[in-house]
Short mmCIF file of all heavy atoms in Angstrom, two decimals:
data_model
loop_
_atom_site.label_atom_id
_atom_site.label_comp_id
_atom_site.label_asym_id
_atom_site.label_seq_id
_atom_site.Cartn_x
_atom_site.Cartn_y
_atom_site.Cartn_z
N LEU A 30 45.74 6.52 28.96
CA LEU A 30 46.47 6.68 27.72
C LEU A 30 46.00 7.92 26.97
O LEU A 30 46.81 8.63 26.35
CB LEU A 30 46.32 5.44 26.84
CG LEU A 30 47.11 5.43 25.53
CD1 LEU A 30 48.59 5.70 25.77
CD2 LEU A 30 46.93 4.11 24.80
N ALA A 31 44.71 8.21 27.00
CA ALA A 31 44.21 9.42 26.35
C ALA A 31 44.85 10.67 26.95
O ALA A 31 45.25 11.60 26.23
CB ALA A 31 42.69 9.50 26.46
N ASP A 32 44.97 10.71 28.27
CA ASP A 32 45.63 11.84 28.92
C ASP A 32 47.10 11.93 28.53
O ASP A 32 47.63 13.02 28.31
CB ASP A 32 45.50 11.73 30.45
CG ASP A 32 44.09 12.03 30.93
OD1 ASP A 32 43.31 12.64 30.17
OD2 ASP A 32 43.77 11.65 32.08
N ALA A 33 47.77 10.76 28.45
CA ALA A 33 49.18 10.75 28.06
C ALA A 33 49.35 11.24 26.63
O ALA A 33 50.29 11.99 26.32
CB ALA A 33 49.75 9.34 28.23
N LEU A 34 48.46 10.82 25.74
CA LEU A 34 48.53 11.26 24.34
C LEU A 34 48.24 12.75 24.22
O LEU A 34 48.86 13.46 23.42
CB LEU A 34 47.55 10.46 23.50
CG LEU A 34 47.88 8.98 23.31
CD1 LEU A 34 46.70 8.25 22.66
CD2 LEU A 34 49.14 8.79 22.47
N ARG A 35 47.29 13.23 25.01
CA ARG A 35 46.97 14.66 24.99
C ARG A 35 48.18 15.49 25.45
O ARG A 35 48.50 16.52 24.83
CB ARG A 35 45.76 14.93 25.89
CG ARG A 35 45.21 16.36 25.79
CD ARG A 35 43.97 16.53 26.65
NE ARG A 35 42.84 15.77 26.13
CZ ARG A 35 42.36 14.66 26.69
NH1 ARG A 35 42.92 14.16 27.78
NH2 ARG A 35 41.32 14.05 26.17
N ALA A 36 48.87 15.01 26.49
CA ALA A 36 50.07 15.70 26.96
C ALA A 36 51.17 15.66 25.91
O ALA A 36 51.89 16.65 25.70
CB ALA A 36 50.55 15.07 28.26
N LEU A 37 51.31 14.52 25.23
CA LEU A 37 52.29 14.43 24.16
C LEU A 37 51.95 15.40 23.03
O LEU A 37 52.84 16.06 22.47
CB LEU A 37 52.35 12.99 23.62
CG LEU A 37 53.24 12.75 22.41
CD1 LEU A 37 54.70 13.09 22.72
CD2 LEU A 37 53.13 11.30 21.93
N GLY A 38 50.66 15.49 22.71
CA GLY A 38 50.24 16.43 21.67
C GLY A 38 50.60 17.86 22.01
O GLY A 38 51.04 18.63 21.15
N GLU A 39 50.42 18.23 23.28
CA GLU A 39 50.77 19.59 23.70
C GLU A 39 52.28 19.82 23.59
O GLU A 39 52.73 20.88 23.18
CB GLU A 39 50.31 19.82 25.14
CG GLU A 39 48.81 20.03 25.29
CD GLU A 39 48.34 21.27 24.55
OE1 GLU A 39 49.00 22.33 24.65
OE2 GLU A 39 47.32 21.18 23.84
N ALA A 40 53.05 18.80 23.96
CA ALA A 40 54.51 18.92 23.86
C ALA A 40 54.95 19.06 22.41
O ALA A 40 55.84 19.87 22.10
CB ALA A 40 55.18 17.72 24.52
N LEU A 41 54.34 18.30 21.52
CA LEU A 41 54.68 18.41 20.11
C LEU A 41 54.26 19.77 19.55
O LEU A 41 54.94 20.34 18.70
CB LEU A 41 54.01 17.28 19.31
CG LEU A 41 54.48 15.86 19.63
CD1 LEU A 41 53.71 14.85 18.79
CD2 LEU A 41 55.98 15.71 19.40
N ALA A 42 53.13 20.28 20.04
CA ALA A 42 52.69 21.59 19.59
C ALA A 42 53.67 22.68 20.00
O ALA A 42 53.93 23.63 19.27
CB ALA A 42 51.30 21.89 20.16
N ASP A 43 54.26 22.52 21.20
CA ASP A 43 55.26 23.49 21.63
C ASP A 43 56.49 23.45 20.73
O ASP A 43 57.15 24.48 20.50
CB ASP A 43 55.68 23.19 23.08
CG ASP A 43 54.57 23.48 24.07
OD1 ASP A 43 53.66 24.26 23.73
OD2 ASP A 43 54.62 22.92 25.19
N THR A 44 56.81 22.27 20.19
CA THR A 44 57.97 22.11 19.32
C THR A 44 57.70 22.63 17.92
O THR A 44 58.54 23.31 17.33
CB THR A 44 58.40 20.63 19.25
OG1 THR A 44 58.77 20.18 20.56
CG2 THR A 44 59.56 20.43 18.30
N THR A 45 56.53 22.31 17.38
CA THR A 45 56.24 22.63 15.98
C THR A 45 55.48 23.93 15.78
O THR A 45 55.43 24.45 14.67
CB THR A 45 55.41 21.50 15.35
OG1 THR A 45 54.13 21.43 16.00
CG2 THR A 45 56.12 20.15 15.51
N GLY A 46 54.85 24.42 16.84
CA GLY A 46 54.03 25.61 16.71
C GLY A 46 52.67 25.36 16.10
O GLY A 46 51.94 26.30 15.77
N ARG A 47 52.28 24.11 15.96
CA ARG A 47 50.98 23.73 15.38
C ARG A 47 50.13 23.07 16.45
O ARG A 47 50.59 22.14 17.11
CB ARG A 47 51.16 22.77 14.21
CG ARG A 47 51.88 23.36 13.00
CD ARG A 47 52.25 22.24 12.05
NE ARG A 47 52.86 22.73 10.83
CZ ARG A 47 52.23 22.88 9.67
NH1 ARG A 47 50.95 22.56 9.58
NH2 ARG A 47 52.85 23.33 8.61
N ARG A 48 48.90 23.51 16.57
CA ARG A 48 47.96 22.89 17.50
C ARG A 48 46.70 22.49 16.73
O ARG A 48 45.75 23.26 16.62
CB ARG A 48 47.61 23.84 18.65
CG ARG A 48 48.68 23.88 19.73
CD ARG A 48 48.30 24.76 20.91
NE ARG A 48 49.16 24.51 22.04
CZ ARG A 48 50.42 24.96 22.15
NH1 ARG A 48 50.92 25.70 21.16
NH2 ARG A 48 51.15 24.67 23.20
N PRO A 49 46.70 21.30 16.16
CA PRO A 49 45.55 20.87 15.35
C PRO A 49 44.30 20.75 16.20
O PRO A 49 44.35 20.35 17.38
CB PRO A 49 46.00 19.50 14.81
CG PRO A 49 47.04 19.03 15.78
CD PRO A 49 47.74 20.26 16.25
N ASP A 50 43.16 21.07 15.59
CA ASP A 50 41.90 20.94 16.30
C ASP A 50 41.37 19.51 16.18
O ASP A 50 41.97 18.65 15.51
CB ASP A 50 40.87 21.95 15.79
CG ASP A 50 40.60 21.83 14.29
OD1 ASP A 50 40.91 20.76 13.71
OD2 ASP A 50 40.07 22.79 13.70
N ALA A 51 40.23 19.26 16.82
CA ALA A 51 39.67 17.91 16.84
C ALA A 51 39.34 17.42 15.43
O ALA A 51 39.53 16.24 15.12
CB ALA A 51 38.42 17.87 17.72
N GLU A 52 38.86 18.31 14.57
CA GLU A 52 38.51 17.91 13.21
C GLU A 52 39.73 17.41 12.45
O GLU A 52 39.67 16.37 11.77
CB GLU A 52 37.89 19.09 12.47
CG GLU A 52 37.45 18.76 11.05
CD GLU A 52 36.83 19.94 10.33
OE1 GLU A 52 36.72 21.02 10.94
OE2 GLU A 52 36.45 19.77 9.14
N ALA A 53 40.86 18.12 12.58
CA ALA A 53 42.08 17.70 11.90
C ALA A 53 42.60 16.37 12.46
O ALA A 53 43.07 15.51 11.71
CB ALA A 53 43.16 18.78 12.03
N LEU A 54 42.49 16.19 13.76
CA LEU A 54 42.94 14.94 14.37
C LEU A 54 42.08 13.77 13.92
O LEU A 54 42.60 12.68 13.62
CB LEU A 54 42.92 15.07 15.89
CG LEU A 54 43.96 16.03 16.49
CD1 LEU A 54 43.71 16.22 17.99
CD2 LEU A 54 45.38 15.53 16.26
N HIS A 55 40.78 13.97 13.87
CA HIS A 55 39.90 12.89 13.40
C HIS A 55 40.17 12.55 11.94
O HIS A 55 40.15 11.37 11.55
CB HIS A 55 38.44 13.29 13.58
CG HIS A 55 37.91 13.05 14.96
ND1 HIS A 55 37.93 11.81 15.57
CD2 HIS A 55 37.34 13.91 15.86
CE1 HIS A 55 37.39 11.90 16.79
NE2 HIS A 55 37.04 13.15 16.98
N ALA A 56 40.43 13.56 11.13
CA ALA A 56 40.74 13.30 9.71
C ALA A 56 42.01 12.46 9.59
O ALA A 56 42.08 11.54 8.76
CB ALA A 56 40.90 14.62 8.96
N ALA A 57 43.00 12.76 10.42
CA ALA A 57 44.23 11.98 10.41
C ALA A 57 43.97 10.54 10.86
O ALA A 57 44.50 9.59 10.28
CB ALA A 57 45.28 12.63 11.31
N LEU A 58 43.14 10.36 11.88
CA LEU A 58 42.82 9.02 12.36
C LEU A 58 42.02 8.24 11.31
O LEU A 58 42.16 7.02 11.20
CB LEU A 58 42.05 9.11 13.67
CG LEU A 58 42.88 9.54 14.89
CD1 LEU A 58 41.99 9.78 16.09
CD2 LEU A 58 43.92 8.48 15.21
N ASP A 59 41.20 8.93 10.55
CA ASP A 59 40.48 8.26 9.46
C ASP A 59 41.46 7.71 8.43
O ASP A 59 41.29 6.59 7.91
CB ASP A 59 39.52 9.24 8.77
CG ASP A 59 38.31 9.58 9.63
OD1 ASP A 59 38.02 8.84 10.59
OD2 ASP A 59 37.66 10.61 9.35
N ARG A 60 42.49 8.49 8.11
CA ARG A 60 43.49 8.03 7.15
C ARG A 60 44.27 6.84 7.70
O ARG A 60 44.58 5.89 6.97
CB ARG A 60 44.44 9.17 6.79
CG ARG A 60 43.78 10.30 6.00
CD ARG A 60 44.81 11.25 5.42
NE ARG A 60 45.53 11.99 6.45
CZ ARG A 60 45.11 13.14 6.98
NH1 ARG A 60 43.97 13.68 6.58
NH2 ARG A 60 45.83 13.76 7.89
N GLU A 61 44.60 6.88 8.99
CA GLU A 61 45.32 5.75 9.60
C GLU A 61 44.45 4.49 9.59
O GLU A 61 44.94 3.38 9.34
CB GLU A 61 45.73 6.10 11.03
CG GLU A 61 46.69 7.27 11.15
CD GLU A 61 48.02 7.03 10.46
OE1 GLU A 61 48.45 5.85 10.37
OE2 GLU A 61 48.63 8.01 9.99
N ALA A 62 43.16 4.65 9.86
CA ALA A 62 42.26 3.49 9.84
C ALA A 62 42.16 2.90 8.45
O ALA A 62 42.12 1.67 8.28
CB ALA A 62 40.87 3.90 10.35
N ALA A 63 42.14 3.76 7.42
CA ALA A 63 42.09 3.26 6.04
C ALA A 63 43.37 2.47 5.71
O ALA A 63 43.31 1.43 5.05
CB ALA A 63 41.92 4.43 5.07
N ALA A 64 44.51 2.97 6.18
CA ALA A 64 45.77 2.26 5.94
C ALA A 64 45.79 0.93 6.67
O ALA A 64 46.25 -0.09 6.12
CB ALA A 64 46.95 3.12 6.38
N ASP A 65 45.28 0.88 7.88
CA ASP A 65 45.25 -0.38 8.63
C ASP A 65 44.30 -1.38 7.99
O ASP A 65 44.53 -2.59 8.04
CB ASP A 65 44.86 -0.12 10.08
CG ASP A 65 46.00 0.48 10.89
OD1 ASP A 65 47.15 0.40 10.43
OD2 ASP A 65 45.75 1.03 11.97
N ALA A 66 43.22 -0.89 7.39
CA ALA A 66 42.30 -1.78 6.69
C ALA A 66 42.99 -2.43 5.49
O ALA A 66 42.80 -3.63 5.22
CB ALA A 66 41.06 -1.01 6.24
N VAL A 67 43.79 -1.65 4.75
CA VAL A 67 44.53 -2.22 3.63
C VAL A 67 45.57 -3.21 4.13
O VAL A 67 45.79 -4.27 3.52
CB VAL A 67 45.21 -1.09 2.81
CG1 VAL A 67 46.19 -1.66 1.79
CG2 VAL A 67 44.15 -0.26 2.10
N LEU A 68 46.21 -2.90 5.26
CA LEU A 68 47.18 -3.83 5.85
C LEU A 68 46.52 -5.17 6.18
O LEU A 68 47.06 -6.24 5.90
CB LEU A 68 47.79 -3.21 7.10
CG LEU A 68 48.86 -4.02 7.82
CD1 LEU A 68 50.06 -4.25 6.92
CD2 LEU A 68 49.28 -3.31 9.11
N ALA A 69 45.32 -5.11 6.75
CA ALA A 69 44.58 -6.34 7.06
C ALA A 69 44.24 -7.11 5.78
O ALA A 69 44.32 -8.34 5.74
CB ALA A 69 43.31 -6.00 7.83
N ASP A 70 43.87 -6.38 4.72
CA ASP A 70 43.55 -7.03 3.44
C ASP A 70 44.78 -7.73 2.86
O ASP A 70 44.68 -8.81 2.26
CB ASP A 70 43.02 -6.01 2.44
CG ASP A 70 41.63 -5.50 2.79
OD1 ASP A 70 40.94 -6.17 3.57
OD2 ASP A 70 41.24 -4.44 2.27
N LEU A 71 45.96 -7.11 3.01
CA LEU A 71 47.18 -7.72 2.51
C LEU A 71 47.46 -9.04 3.21
O LEU A 71 47.83 -10.04 2.58
CB LEU A 71 48.36 -6.77 2.69
CG LEU A 71 48.41 -5.57 1.74
CD1 LEU A 71 49.45 -4.55 2.20
CD2 LEU A 71 48.71 -6.01 0.30
N TRP A 72 47.26 -9.08 4.52
CA TRP A 72 47.48 -10.33 5.23
C TRP A 72 46.44 -11.38 4.85
O TRP A 72 46.75 -12.55 4.71
CB TRP A 72 47.49 -10.09 6.74
CG TRP A 72 48.83 -9.64 7.23
CD1 TRP A 72 49.19 -8.41 7.70
CD2 TRP A 72 50.02 -10.44 7.25
NE1 TRP A 72 50.52 -8.39 8.01
CE2 TRP A 72 51.05 -9.61 7.75
CE3 TRP A 72 50.32 -11.75 6.90
CZ2 TRP A 72 52.36 -10.08 7.91
CZ3 TRP A 72 51.62 -12.22 7.05
CH2 TRP A 72 52.63 -11.39 7.55
N ALA A 73 45.21 -10.94 4.65
CA ALA A 73 44.16 -11.89 4.27
C ALA A 73 44.44 -12.50 2.90
O ALA A 73 44.07 -13.65 2.63
CB ALA A 73 42.80 -11.20 4.27
N ALA A 74 45.11 -11.72 2.03
CA ALA A 74 45.39 -12.19 0.67
C ALA A 74 46.80 -12.76 0.51
O ALA A 74 47.24 -13.03 -0.60
CB ALA A 74 45.22 -11.03 -0.32
N ARG A 75 47.49 -12.97 1.62
CA ARG A 75 48.91 -13.33 1.54
C ARG A 75 49.19 -14.51 0.61
O ARG A 75 50.10 -14.46 -0.22
CB ARG A 75 49.44 -13.68 2.95
CG ARG A 75 50.87 -14.25 2.97
CD ARG A 75 51.87 -13.24 2.41
NE ARG A 75 53.22 -13.77 2.26
CZ ARG A 75 53.81 -13.94 1.10
NH1 ARG A 75 53.16 -13.71 -0.04
NH2 ARG A 75 55.07 -14.37 1.03
N SER A 76 48.43 -15.57 0.72
CA SER A 76 48.71 -16.78 -0.07
C SER A 76 48.55 -16.55 -1.56
O SER A 76 49.08 -17.32 -2.38
CB SER A 76 47.80 -17.92 0.38
OG SER A 76 48.06 -18.26 1.73
#
């Protein structure tokens, strides 16, 4: 899956002209993890 995602990233870079480095990708993943943590909190507090 990592190889498939890397290939997808290259394809998207060809479309957008942007090739983010590892630091930018990690920063984006940090934001996604924070959003998923809030999602988990919402389910825990559902009642």
Side-chain angles (χ1 to χ4, degrees):
L30 184 54
D32 287 343
L34 292 170
R35 188 177 292 107
L37 175 61
E39 285 298 315
L41 295 179
D43 291 339
T44 299
T45 65
R47 295 168 176 260
R48 280 183 165 76
D50 57 19
E52 182 180 359
L54 291 172
H55 277 302
L58 288 172
D59 288 341
R60 292 192 294 272
E61 298 298 331
D65 284 343
V67 170
L68 182 62
D70 289 342
L71 287 169
W72 276 110
R75 172 62 187 114
S76 297

